[in-house]
Amino acid sequence: MTQQSQVEPIIRGTGVVAGLAYGAVRWVGRVEDAAAGPGKGGQAEGTPPGPPPGEEQLERDRERFVAAATTVAGRLDQRASLATGVSAEVLSANAVLARDRGWAKAVVKELKKGLGVEAATMAATETFVAMFTRVGGRQAERITDLRDICARVVAELRGLPEPGIPEFDEPGVLLADDLAPADTAGLDAAKVLGIVIEHGGPTSHTAIIARQLGIPCVVAAAGLAAVPDGARVLVDAGAGTVTVDPDEDSAVGAAAADKRLRDVAAGWTGPAVLADGHEVSLLANVQDAGGAEAAAAGPAGGIGLFRTELAFLDRPTEPSADEQAELYARVLGAFPAAKVVTRTLDAGSDKPLAFAGMTEEDNPALGVRGIRVDLIDRGLLDRQLDALAEAGRRVGGEHSSPWVMAPMISTVDEARDFAARCRERGLTPGIMVEVPAVAVAVDRFLPHVDFLSIGTNDLTQYVMAADRMSSDLAALTDPWQPAVLRLIRSVAEAAARAPGGRTVPVGVCGEAAADPQLACVLLGLGVSSLSVATAALPFVGAALGEVTLERCRELAALALDCDTAREARAAVMAGGA
Ligand code: PEP
Ligand code: MG
């Protein structure tokens, strides 16, 4: 195998229903294929207008359109009567659109310009598409519905079968530019293992129906069009990735293990306990008070990462001390008797904060971000720590000395200074381990802090010298990379025998912890807590319930004994995590 072919082509999108699916892909017939127009933006462009029709011709064409639209609406109604829940609502709503009098009027307007009935139907549809695009938001997401209904009506006018989902001879993965609601509503979850669409957002009908059916789904997968019909793909909707032609054995194993896990996760309500009774601190990542309260309503054992910068991303000016204290108090108060770790503002790079005073940089991921903002405005961090201390006083009890950590620490001086400023205020200081310099020399940092939290997203980015935002480099920014796993192990080992006989707790709060199999490995490497998105909690919790700590250690050893991320993942899958 050549060096290049080892890099799997990975397409990135947004995962909306977590889960893995492996199989051959089938493309949905595209809407414009059915309408036989030149493209989505100009389905009617290919047909030059003729002379304006006479009264009789106009009436005949109008009647043909109305008859076709009525037939399509009737079919949609019939399918709605056989469906339930959201599917039935979607189909009925589309039947209403097909009968829309405004659409019929717009078709007549186009007919009067001399267009044939099919071209007039497409042109009228595009005027509504343009209108919905201008309105944006949820209206824009209905564009797929409009074009789908148009394609059905045009097919009917031509005497062709309705466009739609292909037949699946064997279960597989459905690919589409975007799915028409009428198609998704009729999906057979036994045949469709996963859905990937190139367009559409997390609130599109495709996402809603996939969620209802529990089918792993990725939306907004740019570059999907290059995947040929029949290619085999591994969809990881938790990570939002589609791997084309993955290693077959590990993909089959991963998908089967995931399916089993999804069945168990569906019934998992916590707390997180290993099969040998060993309790695990399984925490939630949140970004605002609502998220903290939602996490508290579920099985989370606390909060391992409160990304404060995300609460203020849209703010032109620094929130006042009181506003900050109020927010932090609400987040602490969501878990009155459990651990809550607040992270100070991680401004910069992909999370620019208007009020943090940063200037444009050529290479922002390596620039002024996280704790380094202190270099240009020391007051920002001081005011945030003051606000957090005030929140601790307001909430009291378990939170009278709130846990707080700094992002992007890279030197002992930074850690020492940060810890001192925290302790002055009665806060419990920790640091994130996401710059390799800290991981490599962690023993020098340990005397200054009370806890560590490994940010595997950035740690992997910096260890592998690969931009975490790049889909081309996704195989490199994989937290299963052996170099990353080794660093995590050495950090955990050092923290377990910190100077002065202390054991410093080490958590992982990057996406690595949300991968159920990798979560088991992380515990085996010596990590003491895991913090993941609330939606991922049941998957991780269910996976942990199936392994003992001893097994986690064996799995960690298997992963560490590999040369590549792919081999490590495959070894752990085969090892039964
Ligand atoms: C990380 O880098 O892993 C992390 C948790 O921080 P963020 O993703 O917010 O940069
Ligand atoms: Mg980070």
Side-chain angles (χ1 to χ4, degrees), residues 305 307 343 346 351 432 434 455-458 468 509-510:
L305 170 62
R307 290 181 162 104
R343 179 173 75 181
D346 186 16
K351 294 175 285 195
M432 289 197 70
E434 48 188 355
T456 45
N457 308 334
D458 277 313
R468 65 191 262 189
C509 62

Side-chain angles (χ1 to χ4, degrees), residues 273-278 520 523 542-552 555 576-577:
V273 182
L274 299 185
D276 55 10
H278 184 98
C520 299
L523 290 182
L544 297 180
E546 303 209 329
V547 289
T548 62
L549 188 55
E550 195 44 42
R551 188 76 195 121
C552 290
L555 294 170

Side-chain angles (χ1 to χ4, degrees), residues 222-374:
L224 194 66
V227 181
D229 207 69
R232 301 193 85 81
V233 297
L234 177 66
V235 179
D236 182 344
T241 57
V242 180
T243 306
V244 183
D245 260 334
D247 175 69
E248 168 128 33
D249 288 346
S250 54
V252 168
D258 178 77
K259 173 78 179 71
R260 202 169 45 79
L261 190 63
R262 268 189 282 146
D263 293 343
V264 180
W268 191 83
T269 51
V273 182
L274 299 185
D276 55 10
H278 184 98
E279 286 177 21
V280 178
S281 176
L282 182 57
L283 312 166
N285 290 350
V286 305
Q287 61 184 63
D288 52 27
E293 284 152 8
I303 292 172
L305 170 62
F306 168 24
R307 290 181 162 104
T308 56
E309 70 282 357
L310 296 186
F312 302 127
L313 269 189
D314 58 345
R315 303 293 289 271
T317 53
E318 184 182 339
S320 70
D322 196 53
E323 183 186 347
Q324 289 194 53
E326 201 170 303
L327 168 66
Y328 306 152
R330 259 185 81 188
V331 173
L332 296 176
F335 284 91
K339 177 161 132 183
V340 173
V341 181
T342 300
R343 179 173 75 181
T344 57
L345 297 169
D346 186 16
S349 193
D350 56 323
K351 294 175 285 195
L353 279 184
F355 56 86
M358 286 160 302
T359 49
E360 204 150 296
E361 296 172 288
D362 286 342
N363 203 345
L366 300 181
V368 179
R369 61 165 295 201
I371 190 71
R372 300 170 185 185
V373 173
D374 219 36

Side-chain angles (χ1 to χ4, degrees), residues 462-479:
Y462 297 125
V463 167
M464 301 306 296
D467 183 349
R468 65 191 262 189
M469 309 296 285
S470 163
S471 48
D472 291 341
L473 302 180
L476 291 176
T477 50
D478 182 336

Side-chain angles (χ1 to χ4, degrees), residues 354-439:
F355 56 86
M358 286 160 302
T359 49
E360 204 150 296
E361 296 172 288
D362 286 342
N363 203 345
L366 300 181
V368 179
R369 61 165 295 201
I371 190 71
R372 300 170 185 185
V373 173
D374 219 36
L375 295 169
I376 52 174
D377 180 0
R378 206 169 153 84
L380 194 59
L381 177 62
D382 282 333
R383 290 187 289 276
Q384 190 179 23
L385 295 178
D386 285 341
L388 185 59
E390 170 58 23
R393 283 189 289 277
R394 289 184 194 171
V395 178
E398 180 76 17
H399 299 302
S400 49
S401 178
W403 288 41
V404 59
M405 62 185 180
M408 289 296 292
I409 292 282
S410 48
T411 68
V412 173
D413 278 343
E414 287 167 350
R416 192 176 10 227
D417 176 63
F418 175 73
R421 288 153 78 184
C422 291
R423 292 193 204 283
E424 264 164 29
R425 295 167 168 87
L427 299 168
T428 305
I431 54 170
M432 289 197 70
V433 180
E434 48 188 355
V435 177
V438 179

